[in-house]
Amino acid sequence: MIRLTQARTNVNLIFTHLEGGRGAMQQLTDMGLIPGERLKVLHNSGYGPVTVLIKGVKVALGQGLAAKIIVEE
């Protein structure tokens, strides 16, 4: 398992859990990202937002929030 900020571009992943509080979890839930959800990393340059595809929708996540998201291939 790795943090979303460590994921390579064009990789399909599964969101396993969040290392954050209720506010961060609520924000992700509002975007449709819940544990067990599949996502694809569209852009991750190591700085700036991490762009992912969730249920066919592109979502940009800031580095702070993305660092709290734990994923696996």
Side-chain angles (χ1 to χ4, degrees):
M1 287 189 269
I2 60 170
R3 296 181 184 278
L4 184 56
T5 52
Q6 300 168 320
R8 297 181 321 270
T9 300
N10 292 323
V11 175
N12 292 310
L13 303 166
I14 299 173
F15 171 37
T16 59
H17 65 279
L18 177 75
E19 291 184 348
R22 287 181 286 163
M25 191 62 190
Q26 184 62 50
Q27 187 176 6
L28 293 178
T29 301
D30 291 346
M31 292 181 209
L33 188 57
I34 58 174
E37 189 69 44
R38 295 184 180 276
L39 58 101
K40 180 176 183 178
V41 179
L42 299 177
H43 182 268
N44 183 11
S45 62
Y47 58 92
V50 177
T51 307
V52 295
L53 188 66
I54 307 167
K55 297 180 182 175
V57 178
K58 290 181 186 178
V59 177
L61 302 168
Q63 285 286 317
L65 183 58
K68 297 175 183 178
I69 298 171
I70 307 301
V71 294
E72 67 181 18
E73 289 191 41

